[in-house]
C-alpha cells in the first residue's frame, strides 16, 4: 500500500511538473489580435472589404452601391456592378455624390429649379430615372431605383 501511495505521489508530481513546463511557454506567446480590420481600412477608416467607401457629401463611410445604380450606356444590361456608377443625394437633394466605376467620386450641385446637378463637364439629369452626361454625351443611365439590380435570380422575390 505504501508503494502504491508513493507511485501515485510521483505520478502526480510528474504530471504537475509537465503542466508547469507547458504553461509558461503558452503564456509567453505574444497574443495577436485575431482581426485584420486595421489592415483593410482606407485613409478615412472605411472598411473596403465590407464595401464601404468615404462619402464626401455625407462625411461618413457608406456603401455606394446602395445608392441609385446607373449602368454604362455602351453596356446597359451589364450585371457587373464594378462597371456601374452610383448616386447618393443629400437630405435636401440639392447635391448628389456620384461614384464612378474607378472608385472616384465628386459632388454635383443642383442648378436652379431644373432637374439637373452639375459638376465640371458632368451633368446628372432626372429624366425617366437618371442620366449622367459627360460633355453632353450620355455615359450612364438608370431607372432611378435605389440599390444594385439582381436579374436571373432563382428566387421569385429577387433575393439571394
Amino acid at each position: 500500500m505504501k508503494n502504491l501511495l508513493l507511485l501515485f505521489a510521483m505520478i502526480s508530481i510528474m504530471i504537475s511538473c509537465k503542466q508547469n513546463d507547458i504553461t509558461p511557454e503558452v503564456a509567453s506567446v505574444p497574443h495577436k489580435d485575431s482581426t485584420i480590420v486595421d489592415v483593410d481600412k482606407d485613409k478615412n477608416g472605411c472598411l473596403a472589404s465590407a464595401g464601404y467607401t468615404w462619402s464626401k457629401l455625407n462625411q461618413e463611410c457608406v456603401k455606394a452601391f446602395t445608392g441609385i445604380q446607373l449602368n454604362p450606356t455602351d453596356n446597359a444590361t451589364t450585371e457587373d456592378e464594378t462597371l456601374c456608377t452610383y448616386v447618393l443625394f443629400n437630405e435636401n437633394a440639392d447635391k448628389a455624390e456620384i461614384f464612378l466605376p474607378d472608385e472616384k467620386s465628386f459632388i454635383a450641385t443642383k442648378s436652379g429649379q431644373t432637374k439637373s446637378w452639375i459638376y465640371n463637364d458632368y451633368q446628372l439629369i432626372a429624366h425617366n430615372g437618371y442620366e449622367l452626361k459627360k460633355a453632353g454625351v450620355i455615359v450612364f443611365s438608370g431607372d432611378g431605383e435605389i440599390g444594385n439590380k439582381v436579374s436571373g435570380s432563382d428566387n421569385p422575390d429577387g433575393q439571394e
Side-chain angles (χ1 to χ4, degrees):
M1 178 77 171
K2 198 175 187 184
N3 285 340
L4 187 60
L5 232 65
L6 183 61
L7 180 65
F8 180 73
M10 289 180 74
I11 291 174
S12 297
I13 291 171
M14 289 176 62
I15 290 174
S16 66
C17 288
K18 197 162 194 106
Q19 286 177 349
N20 287 340
D21 289 344
I22 294 171
T23 305
E25 290 173 17
V26 173
S28 68
V29 173
H31 175 68
K32 291 184 180 180
D33 189 3
S34 62
T35 61
I36 58 168
V37 171
D38 289 338
V39 175
D40 193 29
K41 288 185 177 178
D42 66 11
K43 65 182 179 181
N44 296 301
C46 300
L47 190 58
S49 64
Y52 287 94
T53 188
W54 183 253
S55 170
K56 298 172 194 171
L57 183 64
N58 296 315
Q59 294 295 298
E60 65 181 346
C61 297
V62 298
K63 290 186 175 184
F65 57 84
T66 62
I68 296 171
Q69 180 179 327
L70 304 179
N71 293 335
T73 54
D74 60 350
N75 191 2
T77 59
T78 185
E79 291 186 20
D80 185 352
E81 297 164 3
T82 63
L83 300 176
C84 298
T85 290
Y86 294 90
V87 180
L88 297 175
F89 291 98
N90 68 346
E91 206 171 282
N92 301 331
D94 60 345
K95 293 186 180 188
E97 186 165 8
I98 300 167
F99 294 86
L100 296 175
D102 62 5
E103 296 185 22
K104 298 202 184 324
S105 73
F106 58 86
I107 298 174
T109 305
K110 195 167 190 178
S111 62
Q113 298 297 327
T114 64
K115 292 184 177 181
S116 66
W117 295 258
I118 300 187
Y119 174 80
N120 292 341
D121 59 346
Y122 284 97
Q123 182 181 20
L124 178 67
I125 302 167
H127 175 71
N128 294 332
Y130 290 93
E131 297 174 341
L132 180 64
K133 292 183 177 183
K134 182 175 183 182
V137 177
I138 300 171
V139 287
F140 292 93
S141 63
D143 57 14
E145 291 183 22
I146 294 177
N148 56 350
K149 311 299 182 272
V150 178
S151 64
S153 173
D154 291 337
N155 295 332
D157 60 359
Q159 296 185 4
E160 293 181 16

